[in-house]
Amino acid sequence: MTSNDTPRDPHPYVGMWVTADGFIRQELLPDGRYDEARGNRPSAYTGSYTVTGNHLDYVDDTGFTATGDIRDGVLYHEHLVLHRESGAS
């Protein structure tokens, strides 16, 4: 890293989001990628996401697209309702 390089803080939405039953776990990574696990299937869906305000646009690695919105600290991703994983550091 040179003196002109400045580390950027990750977006505040980066981290693990889970459904109430814990079956779906979606990790928003700081590099604009996501990794979604379903049940015992790790990395069931992977792809990229972009954030505009409180809106997220997803494109999975197969080309499927989806959207999400964060309202009052809750991620509404298509038909899913996800919350920040508790106990995360």
Side-chain angles (χ1 to χ4, degrees):
M1 178 182 288
T2 68
S3 60
N4 292 332
D5 293 334
T6 54
R8 292 182 10 201
D9 289 333
H11 193 280
Y13 299 155
V14 165
M16 186 65 74
W17 297 83
V18 298
T19 54
D21 62 4
F23 185 77
I24 298 174
R25 297 168 311 283
Q26 185 180 95
E27 185 173 13
L28 300 178
L29 302 166
D31 64 356
R33 299 277 302 163
Y34 72 91
D35 190 315
E36 184 174 303
R38 292 190 172 224
N40 292 328
R41 228 174 99 198
S43 301
Y45 298 98
T46 59
S48 62
Y49 72 94
T50 57
V51 178
T52 306
N54 291 333
H55 180 80
L56 290 88
D57 288 297
Y58 296 85
V59 179
D60 83 8
D61 291 336
T62 68
F64 180 80
T65 62
T67 62
D69 291 288
I70 297 194
R71 295 188 304 270
D72 298 322
V74 177
L75 171 55
Y76 296 91
H77 174 64
E78 298 298 331
H79 66 281
L80 302 172
V81 177
L82 300 107
H83 299 270
R84 287 263 188 202
E85 183 173 59
S86 60
S89 52

